[in-house]
Amino acid sequence: MLRQFVLRVLELLAVLLLVSFGVFALLSLVPGDPAVAVLGEGREPSEYAALRDEMGLNDPFFTRYFDWFGGVLHGDLGSSLIPPVVPVWDRLVAAMPVSLELAGLGLLIALVVSVPLAMWSAYNEGGRIDRAIGAFTFGLLSLPSFLVGLVLIAVLVNSMGWFPRTGWVRITDDFGGNLSHVFLPALTIALMEMAMFTRILRNDLVTTLNEDFILAARAKGMPPLRIMVSDALRPSSFSLVTILGLSIGRLVGSTVIVEYLFSLPGMGRLVIEAASTGNYPMVQGAVLLIAVVYVLSSALIDLSYGYLDPRTRRARA
Amino acid sequence: MTSESKSPILVVENLRTVFHTPRGDVRAVDGVSFELRPGETLGLVGESGSGKSVLGRTVMGLISNDARTTVTGKVTLGGVDVHGVKRAVRRKLWGTEVAMVFQDPMTSLNPVKRIGTHLTETLRFHLRCTRKEAEERAVELLTQVGIPEPKRRMRQYPHEMSGGMRQRVVIAMALACDPRLLIADEPTTALDVTVQKQILDLLGNLTTERDMATVLVSHDLGAVAGRTDRVQVMYAGRTVEQGRTSEVFAAPTHPYTDALLASIPQIENAPHSLLRAIEGNPPDMANPPGGCRFAPRCGYADTTCTSDLPLLQPLAGPGRSVACHHPLLAGAAPVGSEHTHGR
Amino acid sequence: MAGSGIAHLRADEKRALTVENLVVEFPVTGGVVHAVSDLSIDVLPGETLGILGESGCGKSSAGRALMQLPAPTSGRVLLGDAELTALKKNDMRRARAKMQMIMQDPVSALNPRRKVKDLVAEGLEVWGFEGKDRAKFVDDLLSSVGLDPAVVRDRRPHELSGGQCQRVCIARSLALDPDVLICDEPVSSLDVSVQAQVLNLLEETRERYDLSMIFIAHDVAVVKNISDRVMVMYLGKTCEVIPSDDMQNKALHPYTRLLLASVPSAADAQARAAGEATAEAPVKDVELPSPLNPPSGCRFRTRCPLATEQCAAEEPVLREMRPGQFVACHNVSA
Ligand SMILES: Nc1ncnc2c1ncn2[C@@H]1O[C@H](COP(=O)(O)OP(=O)(O)OP(=O)(O)O)[C@@H](O)[C@H]1O
Ligand SMILES: Nc1ncnc2c1ncn2[C@@H]1O[C@H](COP(=O)(O)OP(=O)(O)OP(=O)(O)O)[C@@H](O)[C@H]1O
Ligand code: SF4
Ligand SMILES: [Mg+2]
Ligand SMILES: [Mg+2]
């Protein structure tokens, strides 16, 4: 078991190393001149060249990579090229909680809605409720997420005035205010994921409900809701968990869009801004951090299979 | 027999279960009646698809009227009209009045639940006892079904046990709340030969001890032969013959029972002896033949058989009846074909 | 039981199939599955050898290894005089056509998209059939397995019942005029009333085409009925080889006796009813040991009522106890 764990951690580290390299390499390839980003346009070519030299951009690729990576190991991701010239790390620390809260809350809402919905749908398999829920989720899936966001803004913000349109309040400053700011964007994200979750879980539940052990549980006199929650849900959630793992990647994309839409100061906006101004240390740092979060949460998902299915525990041990 | 003086715990009257499928109506159970008294064991035999499992489940009420199923007739279980009461009332019977043992112990236990949980959740739900009491009782039950080291087994998952052990757990689960009727649906079909007999013996002993009524569903006539008081032979959803097990097997009167008994290889047979096979295949239940369901495969069939559905008629012998226009009473000769091999 | 040895092989006679020291192992994560360990078989022309054993004892693995599907880990397989295990791939495939196999699940053994007539002629296509009238040949085969060619010729497998599919499989295997037919539980998945049809058909076919047969099954009575000789297997090893006539009364190996005692019968149930109905004592560990890590010495010893220390230390070898009866057990005598 310990050996398994150590292997697993080593594997994670290897992946992260590879990611760091990928991030660095990719951004070295994209067009744009950092010197231009710092000095602005219209200077003498010699000025740019001097700055490039000073920034070490003319060093061999691997020297640059190891310089950067050495810094990363010490928690130094460099400084922003664009004023305000602050350490990249500080900006990330400010932006990361916003995105994490947004994505986390979005997933939470999606799960809280989709699990009961899927159960209700599966319980009435083939019936009117099942078909209605099927049609609804299918409809949601075919809409792009920004459209959903725009509709929500139009209805709940502009017409009803229930929620603030943009901006952000930190959770540590004002819990209620934070919630009212994060709710709509999180809902936008949740709606997309929810449709997918509901469909996946519903299908697996239908399969599980036809299993003998469900019949056996019914024959013991257990009430339907209890069978659904305590017998059917866990063995039906493998695909859901897999999709959850995959959706983390997708979530990165949708938070970018949603943060932009609601002008939230999260990672998404940070990356877009930094990328469009050629602020490459910022982009590198942000992408690396996102990758780390992604890899860690995938590892968490992997671990949860063991909880879900005791049979895989033995296979791993 | 003392059991015949007791009042029946289960009365099934003219039960029909029809599934409405895209291929048409499947009449899985088509007019079956029987009674069962405490301490009595009824064997339900028939081939795959003859409606045994559906009958067992309809009797329990696990299959009931819904959008795709029509159940008619009446099942009275411990005085309750199973299909006439609300679902919640029916559910109260399950586990306490009637319990079921399933065919495949690999699939009838929840793979993600510990063995102990399977037992304690039933006990706690029905008997409203504390966790500790339930656990003690569960250990007791596991001991009764012959599981070594019950305390350790409680913490195991189903996949960590062999098929035979799992079936013992299923039996323990069924008996947890002392039901008065047990329906065992092919309890040994999925098990290894060396384990089958142990399980049948265990079931026999436990039900005798508790004076339970038992329905033993099986396609293995050998398993039913010595372990049931009465037997009911099913073909295509209908009862074709019933009576005391010993009498039915000693002198079958329905051509199907007769042919089925003769078609099974016996260990006493000489090597290379040909079997008396039944020609043809069991009917498609969505589209059964008119008249006697067995007529297309029957060596005694005539035009009456293909046009009129034979009903159960009483014969000599307690509870003995047969649904055939030409029952094989002593001396009756088959119409047309000869027996190629006597038994 | 659970022993090795070749005492039962009949070297002085002409044999249709000879298998010596067959070993089938599957490497898996965490070890090696010892599916078949040192199995030796011979079958005379026209003879039927029954292989009897519980689920997981390696019956199918042995059957497939004979067909070289996949080739065994070690051991020799001789079909007539051709040593399949020594031939090059193409020669082996050609030689192997004289041995055919029938599987447990007839429906999945047939390509669902092909018509019956093409399925039966499959082998002919591969090996280039010189004869003029292929259609007639196929029709004859279909009639010989009791199918009406006019009815089934153009159907596909899903339009046939399980019994009919098994007949098609038999017809297909006969197309190449084999010498040896390996039947792996050919009736286990069929309706009770259809089993007898297929068993009779196999019996008649063997006689008509003068085949040697290996019949694999877990049902004692079925094996006894169809075989001349029965080999009882346990966890990849041989326990006993016995003429099927002697099975019921003269079997010696404790495992064979356990199998025989497990056949449910009216008589033993009545005996049970006469005795006391009390709660059972906990059963002995009846679980089949893992083929990943089989017991030392005799593999049956963990379940054997006669087991002694010798059984854990030494593997028993097949010994002749009576003419034609060979037993691998330290603690039985004739
Ligand atoms: N839910 C269902 N919908 C439609 N048809 C069904 C359904 N359940 C069972 N049937 C059909 O009812 C018939 C009887 O099935 P049943 O399972 O009772 O047979 P059985 O006698 O138990 O056979 P086996 O020995 O294979 O268990 C079969 O033809 C089956 O296809
Ligand atoms: N491809 C494989 N990889 C790993 N293990 C295998 C493989 N095929 C078979 N086994 C294992 O080898 C052993 C023998 O299997 P085999 O299928 O030969 O048994 P059998 O006697 O035919 O059983 P059954 O009656 O269930 O068909 C089993 O433990 C099985 O799990
Ligand atoms: S009624 Fe006719 S067809 Fe049916 S079993 Fe009797 S003799 Fe055969
Ligand atoms: Mg059934
Ligand atoms: Mg097999």
Side-chain angles (χ1 to χ4, degrees):
Chain A
M1 200 60 213
L2 184 71
R3 199 171 138 258
Q4 287 286 320
F5 185 74
V6 170
L7 277 179
R8 182 79 220 189
V9 170
L10 286 180
E11 193 184 307
L12 270 182
L13 288 179
V15 169
L16 287 177
L17 197 68
L18 220 67
V19 165
S20 77
F21 183 75
V23 166
F24 189 84
L26 213 64
L27 286 168
S28 313
L29 295 178
V30 290
D33 187 343
V36 179
V38 177
L39 299 176
E41 311 252 339
R43 304 286 192 95
E44 291 292 311
S46 61
E47 279 184 77
Y48 292 126
L51 185 62
R52 271 205 292 273
D53 222 33
E54 191 192 318
M55 289 168 75
L57 290 175
N58 294 332
D59 293 349
F61 175 81
F62 279 101
T63 315
R64 281 185 288 140
Y65 172 65
F66 285 117
D67 276 354
W68 177 74
F69 190 67
V72 170
L73 288 183
H74 293 99
D76 174 16
L77 295 169
S79 305
S80 169
L81 293 182
I82 313 281
V85 182
V86 290
V88 165
W89 180 246
D90 292 356
R91 293 286 306 275
L92 294 183
V93 166
M96 198 64 197
V98 178
S99 298
L100 277 185
E101 189 185 344
L102 182 59
L105 193 67
L107 273 186
L108 190 71
I109 297 176
L111 283 175
V112 164
V113 175
S114 63
V115 170
L117 213 57
M119 289 199 222
W120 196 28
S121 194
Y123 184 69
N124 295 293
E125 190 212 336
R128 225 173 300 153
I129 289 165
D130 186 26
R131 273 174 293 161
I133 293 176
F136 172 64
T137 51
F138 186 73
L140 266 186
L141 274 181
S142 52
L143 296 175
S145 69
F146 69 89
L147 200 69
V148 178
L150 287 179
V151 171
L152 285 176
I153 291 171
V155 177
L156 299 181
V157 178
N158 297 353
S159 313
M160 319 290 280
W162 286 354
F163 293 97
R165 164 76 170 82
T166 56
W168 184 253
V169 178
R170 275 197 290 171
I171 194 163
T172 41
D173 296 344
D174 172 8
F175 184 69
N178 169 271
L179 220 56
S180 77
H181 276 97
V182 76
F183 183 75
L184 265 197
L187 188 64
T188 311
I189 288 178
L191 280 176
M192 301 310 301
E193 302 298 324
M194 189 199 90
M196 180 95 70
F197 292 174
T198 309
R199 294 180 77 84
I200 300 272
L201 184 60
R202 180 255 174 214
N203 287 351
D204 282 10
L205 275 172
V206 165
T207 315
T208 307
L209 288 178
N210 284 315
E211 300 268 0
D212 281 357
F213 64 84
I214 297 295
L215 194 69
R218 285 181 63 209
K220 290 198 296 188
M222 296 290 143
L225 184 62
R226 182 160 167 180
I227 291 179
M228 197 56 107
V229 176
S230 98
D231 288 284
L233 191 56
R234 216 166 96 184
S236 311
S237 43
F238 300 107
S239 313
L240 181 67
V241 169
T242 308
I243 286 291
L244 213 63
L246 294 175
S247 79
I248 293 173
R250 213 178 36 243
L251 227 51
V252 173
S254 35
T255 38
V256 170
I257 297 174
V258 170
E259 280 172 9
Y260 190 78
L261 209 62
F262 289 88
S263 316
L264 301 183
M267 296 290 286
R269 225 177 59 181
L270 193 71
V271 174
I272 293 182
E273 272 174 20
S276 57
T277 52
N279 192 353
Y280 77 97
M282 190 68 84
V283 180
Q284 276 171 347
V287 174
L288 185 66
L289 187 59
I290 291 174
V292 168
V293 170
Y294 178 74
V295 169
L296 287 181
S297 38
S298 303
L300 212 65
I301 297 261
D302 266 8
L303 281 181
S304 68
Y305 284 120
Y307 161 76
L308 286 171
D309 189 350
R311 283 167 297 190
T312 62
R313 268 180 239 171
R314 191 178 52 172
R316 276 150 196 270
Chain B
M1 195 166 268
T2 54
S3 59
E4 271 163 34
S5 54
K6 296 178 192 161
S7 65
I9 174 167
L10 174 69
V11 182
V12 176
E13 294 164 79
N14 200 16
L15 193 66
R16 279 171 216 277
T17 310
V18 182
F19 296 110
H20 308 288
T21 71
R23 288 178 52 240
D25 286 359
V26 174
R27 307 167 76 88
V29 175
D30 197 6
V32 172
S33 308
F34 62 89
E35 278 184 10
L36 206 56
R37 289 162 213 275
E40 221 179 2
T41 306
L42 172 74
L44 215 53
V45 304
E47 291 178 72
S48 186
S50 58
K52 307 180 298 293
S53 299
V54 174
L55 175 58
R57 285 168 198 187
T58 315
V59 163
M60 262 187 94
L62 284 169
I63 295 177
S64 57
N65 273 307
D66 64 33
R68 280 174 283 180
T69 318
T70 307
V71 175
T72 56
K74 193 169 172 193
V75 178
T76 317
L77 185 72
V80 179
D81 174 2
V82 173
H83 291 276
V85 295
K86 288 219 180 69
R87 274 162 190 268
V89 180
R90 194 185 307 152
R91 218 162 42 228
K92 290 227 171 64
L93 300 172
W94 298 343
T96 55
E97 280 286 307
V98 54
M100 198 160 202
V101 174
F102 297 86
Q103 172 167 344
D104 191 350
M106 305 293 159
T107 58
S108 53
L109 292 173
N110 190 331
V112 305
K113 270 192 182 170
R114 291 177 201 275
I115 298 300
T117 316
H118 278 94
L119 291 160
T120 50
E121 69 174 6
T122 326
L123 291 161
R124 296 188 65 194
F125 181 76
H126 285 298
L127 309 180
R128 307 250 162 247
C129 54
T130 65
R131 178 182 298 269
K132 199 160 163 294
E133 284 165 354
E135 271 169 17
E136 279 164 17
R137 174 100 178 98
V139 170
E140 207 177 290
L141 280 162
L142 289 179
T143 314
Q144 279 177 23
V145 294
I147 290 187
E149 298 180 74
K151 285 223 173 73
R152 185 173 65 86
R153 295 292 189 172
M154 293 271 285
R155 289 193 308 277
Q156 289 194 320
Y157 286 96
H159 72 266
E160 297 171 85
M161 295 182 132
S162 70
M165 285 294 157
R166 269 184 257 190
Q167 195 63 306
R168 285 171 192 267
V169 172
V170 175
I171 291 174
M173 211 161 81
L175 300 183
C177 302
D178 281 313
R180 294 200 288 156
L181 170 66
L182 182 72
I183 300 180
D185 188 358
E186 313 221 22
T188 59
T189 307
L191 299 178
D192 266 334
V193 263
T194 50
V195 183
Q196 293 189 357
K197 203 177 123 207
Q198 294 172 0
I199 296 291
L200 286 174
D201 286 346
L202 174 70
L203 265 179
N205 291 342
L206 291 173
T207 50
T208 319
E209 239 169 70
R210 292 160 193 240
D211 203 22
M212 281 166 70
T214 315
V215 178
L216 179 62
V217 177
S218 184
H219 67 252
D220 182 349
L221 302 184
V224 167
R227 292 165 205 275
T228 56
D229 303 312
R230 287 188 296 123
V231 68
Q232 185 146 352
V233 183
M234 311 248 320
Y235 188 78
R238 297 183 64 85
T239 308
V240 292
E241 174 159 19
Q242 60 189 17
R244 283 245 178 94
T245 309
S246 50
E247 292 175 12
V248 170
F249 285 179
T253 54
H254 196 283
Y256 174 66
T257 320
D258 182 53
L260 194 61
L261 282 169
S263 71
I264 297 167
Q266 300 294 323
I267 191 155
E268 293 83 16
N269 294 1
H272 301 302
S273 52
L274 287 187
L275 299 158
R276 215 180 86 202
I278 308 176
E279 289 311 314
N281 293 294
D284 174 8
M285 299 290 281
N287 187 16
C292 174
R293 303 277 148 88
F294 188 56
R297 306 174 71 189
C298 180
Y300 303 83
D302 60 14
T303 48
T304 329
C305 301
T306 47
S307 60
D308 298 345
L309 187 63
L311 301 177
L312 275 175
Q313 310 152 349
L315 296 175
R320 188 88 198 263
S321 51
V322 64
C324 173
H325 296 301
H326 309 290
L328 308 177
L329 305 172
V335 183
S337 95
E338 292 276 312
H339 286 199
T340 43
H341 289 269
R343 278 183 301 121
Chain C
M1 84 96 102
S4 317
I6 50 167
H8 59 296
L9 298 185
R10 295 158 291 192
D12 42 340
E13 294 185 57
K14 183 177 181 313
R15 295 177 286 184
L17 179 72
T18 315
V19 179
E20 285 168 14
N21 310 102
L22 188 77
V23 176
V24 182
E25 288 171 355
F26 300 103
V28 293
T29 40
V32 172
V33 176
H34 300 270
V36 181
S37 309
D38 201 0
L39 184 77
S40 299
I41 293 176
D42 61 2
V43 188
L44 306 184
E47 187 185 46
T48 303
L49 171 73
I51 298 184
L52 185 64
E54 276 172 281
S55 181
C57 74
K59 307 182 295 294
S60 303
S61 305
R64 283 195 300 267
L66 298 189
M67 297 290 296
Q68 314 293 308
L69 298 167
T73 313
S74 67
R76 301 206 312 153
V77 178
L78 286 96
L79 183 58
D81 297 324
E83 183 173 349
L84 295 185
T85 35
L87 289 176
K88 290 230 178 59
K89 206 149 204 161
N90 273 333
D91 298 336
M92 187 274 287
R93 282 178 44 217
R94 194 164 286 279
R96 183 180 63 191
K98 289 285 162 201
M99 179 157 65
Q100 292 290 319
M101 190 161 182
I102 292 169
M103 312 281 183
Q104 171 168 355
D105 182 358
V107 182
S108 68
L110 297 172
N111 182 341
R113 278 181 291 276
R114 306 200 72 184
K115 291 183 178 169
V116 166
K117 60 178 183 200
D118 300 326
L119 286 166
V120 172
E122 235 166 32
L124 303 178
E125 282 163 25
V126 176
W127 298 112
F129 180 60
E130 319 73 87
K132 338 94 237 176
D133 203 350
R134 205 181 94 171
K136 174 152 187 320
F137 182 75
V138 168
D139 282 2
D140 287 348
L141 274 176
L142 285 174
S143 338
S144 77
V145 297
L147 292 170
D148 181 354
V151 176
V152 300
R153 201 189 288 137
D154 290 310
R155 295 211 189 161
R156 288 173 221 275
H158 66 91
E159 296 169 284
L160 303 175
S161 70
Q164 287 171 320
C165 283
Q166 198 59 289
R167 286 170 192 270
V168 173
C169 289
I170 295 173
R172 177 173 65 169
S173 66
L174 292 176
L176 289 172
D177 188 24
D179 298 329
V180 178
L181 197 59
I182 300 174
C183 307
D184 186 4
E185 313 224 17
V187 296
S188 305
S189 65
L190 301 179
D191 280 339
V192 188
S193 70
V194 178
Q195 285 185 7
Q197 298 171 10
V198 173
L199 288 173
N200 283 351
L201 173 65
L202 284 171
E203 191 69 58
E204 286 159 5
T205 309
R206 185 190 56 79
E207 244 167 65
R208 164 139 37 122
Y209 292 85
D210 198 20
L211 296 171
S212 304
M213 201 149 85
I214 292 185
F215 190 96
I216 299 173
H218 61 258
D219 186 313
V220 183
V222 169
V223 169
K224 142 100 202 260
N225 268 244
I226 203 158
S227 318
D228 298 294
R229 243 187 163 198
V230 177
M231 168 176 270
V232 181
M233 273 182 77
Y234 184 81
L235 269 190
K237 293 269 186 183
T238 313
C239 301
E240 180 159 8
V241 178
I242 185 170
S244 64
D245 245 345
D246 297 343
M247 265 284 271
Q248 197 187 353
N249 300 318
K250 299 195 183 145
L252 287 172
H253 197 283
Y255 180 62
T256 317
R257 301 182 68 106
L258 173 65
L259 283 178
L260 287 165
S262 305
V263 177
S265 73
D268 67 49
Q270 272 150 13
R272 181 185 59 81
E276 289 212 335
T278 49
E280 279 212 338
V283 285
K284 195 174 169 189
D285 184 8
V286 292
E287 283 168 46
L288 204 64
S290 159
L292 269 171
N293 188 14
S296 65
C298 173
R299 290 193 181 172
F300 184 55
R301 68 179 164 84
T302 53
R303 292 169 68 187
C304 181
L306 305 181
T308 57
E309 275 166 32
Q310 190 193 5
C311 304
E314 262 176 65
E315 186 183 333
V317 177
L318 282 170
R319 292 180 289 151
E320 181 157 27
M321 307 303 274
R322 278 198 205 95
Q325 180 179 5
F326 301 83
V327 181
C329 174
H330 293 305
N331 298 315
V332 298
S333 47

